[in-house]
Amino acid sequence: MRKNPVSEILDIPQFSYFEFQNPFSGSYGTLSYKITPSDSALTVQIWHSRLCSEKAEIEEEKQYPMNLDGFRELIQWLEMKVPGRA
C-alpha cells in the first residue's frame, strides 16, 4: 500500500499524480478500474475482468471535475463499487 493513501481500500496515488496527466489503473478483487485525467476532467472506468481496459467491456464510466473536490468524489464513488461495500 502507498504511503499516505487516498483510500483505505484502494491503492490510488495522490491527486498530484493526476495533475501531471498520468493515467492510473488498478483492481480490487473482481473489480478493475482506470482513472484518466484531462485538463478539465477525471474519467473513471470500471469493469469486472482481469483484461486490460482496452480489451475489457467497460461497465460504467463517470467524469468528475479535475480538481481536489472532484477527485474526492471519484474516490468515494469508486469505493462504493468495491464488492461487498455497496
Side-chain angles (χ1 to χ4, degrees):
M1 192 65 124
R2 292 177 196 281
K3 198 174 193 181
N4 302 318
V6 298
S7 170
E8 292 182 15
I9 304 166
L10 304 168
D11 189 23
I12 298 175
Q14 297 288 325
F15 178 67
S16 60
Y17 176 89
F18 299 100
E19 288 181 301
F20 288 100
Q21 302 298 306
N22 296 308
F24 182 81
S25 60
S27 63
Y28 185 94
T30 60
L31 175 73
S32 294
Y33 57 91
K34 182 175 184 180
I35 303 168
T36 307
S38 70
D39 289 336
S40 61
L42 288 161
T43 301
V44 59
Q45 300 172 313
I46 62 169
W47 64 98
H48 290 82
S49 170
R50 299 314 265 164
L51 296 173
C52 66
S53 60
E54 289 80 18
K55 304 270 185 194
E57 182 178 333
I58 303 302
E59 296 168 17
E60 285 188 67
E61 179 176 302
K62 287 193 73 148
Q63 286 194 331
Y64 293 89
M66 182 58 172
N67 58 41
L68 193 52
D69 288 337
F71 181 64
R72 289 179 181 140
E73 288 179 43
L74 181 152
I75 298 301
Q76 286 180 325
W77 179 80
L78 195 51
E79 286 177 342
M80 292 304 297
K81 297 298 178 175
V82 170
R85 300 279 302 177

